[in-house]
Amino acid sequence: MAALTYAQAKEQFQGEGYHATTFKAASTLTSSSVAPLLVALTGIGEVGLGSDADAPIGVFLRYESDGYVAVQDAGYVIDVPMYSDELAVGDFAECNGAGAAAKSTTFKGAKCVAIDTTNDLCILYLG
């Protein structure tokens, strides 16, 4: 069986295992932030873009008007920005501090299942 293309993986995995949680937005996330962005815990009950090499808590989906954000924290996440084409299928991902997924040398809880090197996007499995 051949490996799935990015388009096939996107169609097959979208919405699978989805779970979202509401967090307070750190100052790095605003109403003008464009989802999806990989985020990390930055305080008690607070998420933001974090720092390079932070473990991701999930993917920012939407900013609410009251300073809170919806974060997908389980399942497959589609079209996450990828840092500099460095991820490969099967790699674990970590935050790069700007919302993109970067290759991690240690288990960080987000695994890359498909990549689109043309558009620097990836599909991550959070769990």
Side-chain angles (χ1 to χ4, degrees), residues 8-97:
Q8 290 168 329
K10 187 173 177 175
E11 183 177 320
Q12 180 171 335
F13 295 127
Q14 191 158 12
E16 291 293 319
Y18 174 89
H19 182 269
T21 302
T22 302
F23 290 93
K24 181 169 178 35
S27 61
T28 55
L29 293 175
T30 67
S31 59
S32 61
S33 296
V34 178
L37 297 170
L38 201 59
V39 293
L41 284 173
T42 55
I44 298 172
E46 177 186 271
V47 296
L49 298 180
S51 300
D52 187 30
D54 277 353
I57 190 68
V59 176
F60 161 76
L61 299 176
R62 187 173 72 198
Y63 188 91
E64 303 293 340
S65 60
D66 58 0
Y68 287 83
V69 292
V71 174
Q72 183 175 345
D73 55 10
Y76 291 91
V77 188
I78 308 299
D79 294 342
V80 177
M82 181 173 58
Y83 177 73
S84 186
D85 287 347
E86 68 180 26
L87 277 176
V89 173
D91 286 345
F92 287 100
E94 63 189 18
C95 296
N96 79 334

